Amino acid sequence: MCFSAQADLVGGLLIGAIGIDVIRHIDKRSEYRALAALPLLLAGHQLTEAFVCWGLHGRFSAHVGRVNTWIYLLFAFVILPIYLPAAIFLLEPPGRRRRIIGAFIALGTVVSTLLLAAMLRGPVTASLGHFHIAYSTGLRAGGLVVAAYVTATCGSLIFSGYRTVARFGWINLIAVAFLSRATLNEFASL
């Protein structure tokens, strides 16, 4: 959320500190590693947006801003829709839930492919809005792709057999609905 580059910086550092603590506490439970690494990845993502914001404000060269825009979008559009369902898949014991979450990985792969293709077709842009950064890729059928993205990411969480993970999925789904509505009036970047 680019309320300011400084907010992104503080948020990224705070999320990173939480991520380091999470990694320190997983011990030898290898099935948790991918999910435990998520806060560190999200911290890097948040810090990248700080550089996008600074680039848009002219504090860095336009090239630095463009590179960080690509890094930000590659994580959000290409990595996350596959990574998150895969991390949940690794948590689940073999069975019905794991097969369902496997379908979310497949959906996330389709979404990632479509979003990467849109990025490569371009143009990829970032511009300052009121309390957010507006990213654009010239995506066709954007509403359908966004719905599939949310289904792949939040759905994989919601279908988890772990109650706290499923609850986190519902909270994220509600947050996405709120933020989607709010960005219609330029409230916050997603």
Side-chain angles (χ1 to χ4, degrees), residues 48-58 60-74 119 123-127 133 135-136:
T48 300
E49 191 171 49
F51 284 92
V52 173
C53 194
W54 280 322
L56 292 171
H57 283 289
F60 286 102
S61 71
H63 175 72
V64 169
R66 278 191 304 276
V67 167
N68 280 281
T69 297
W70 271 85
I71 293 168
Y72 183 87
L73 291 177
L74 283 170
M119 288 177 68
V124 172
T125 62
S127 58
I133 296 176
Y135 296 95
S136 176

Side-chain angles (χ1 to χ4, degrees), residues 8-69:
D8 282 330
L9 180 64
V10 170
L13 292 173
L14 180 62
I15 294 166
I18 291 167
I20 290 168
D21 189 54
V22 169
I23 294 289
R24 287 183 47 233
H25 287 91
I26 62 166
D27 300 321
K28 295 179 182 179
R29 297 174 288 190
S30 62
E31 69 274 13
Y32 290 93
R33 282 193 188 120
L35 189 59
L38 189 60
L40 287 175
L41 295 171
L42 292 173
H45 190 236
Q46 194 72 36
L47 293 170
T48 300
E49 191 171 49
F51 284 92
V52 173
C53 194
W54 280 322
L56 292 171
H57 283 289
R59 295 201 174 95
F60 286 102
S61 71
H63 175 72
V64 169
R66 278 191 304 276
V67 167
N68 280 281
T69 297

Side-chain angles (χ1 to χ4, degrees), residues 76-135:
F77 286 3
V78 181
I79 295 170
L80 195 60
I82 299 169
Y83 186 90
L84 184 57
I88 302 306
F89 181 88
L90 293 172
L91 286 178
E92 296 296 325
R96 185 179 69 81
R97 287 185 192 273
R98 196 171 202 192
R99 286 189 299 276
I100 291 169
I101 293 169
F104 289 121
I105 295 171
L107 179 60
T109 301
V110 170
V111 167
S112 292
T113 302
L114 293 171
L115 291 171
L116 179 60
M119 288 177 68
L120 294 174
R121 262 192 320 272
V124 172
T125 62
S127 58
L128 288 172
H130 190 64
F131 296 116
H132 79 286
I133 296 176
Y135 296 95

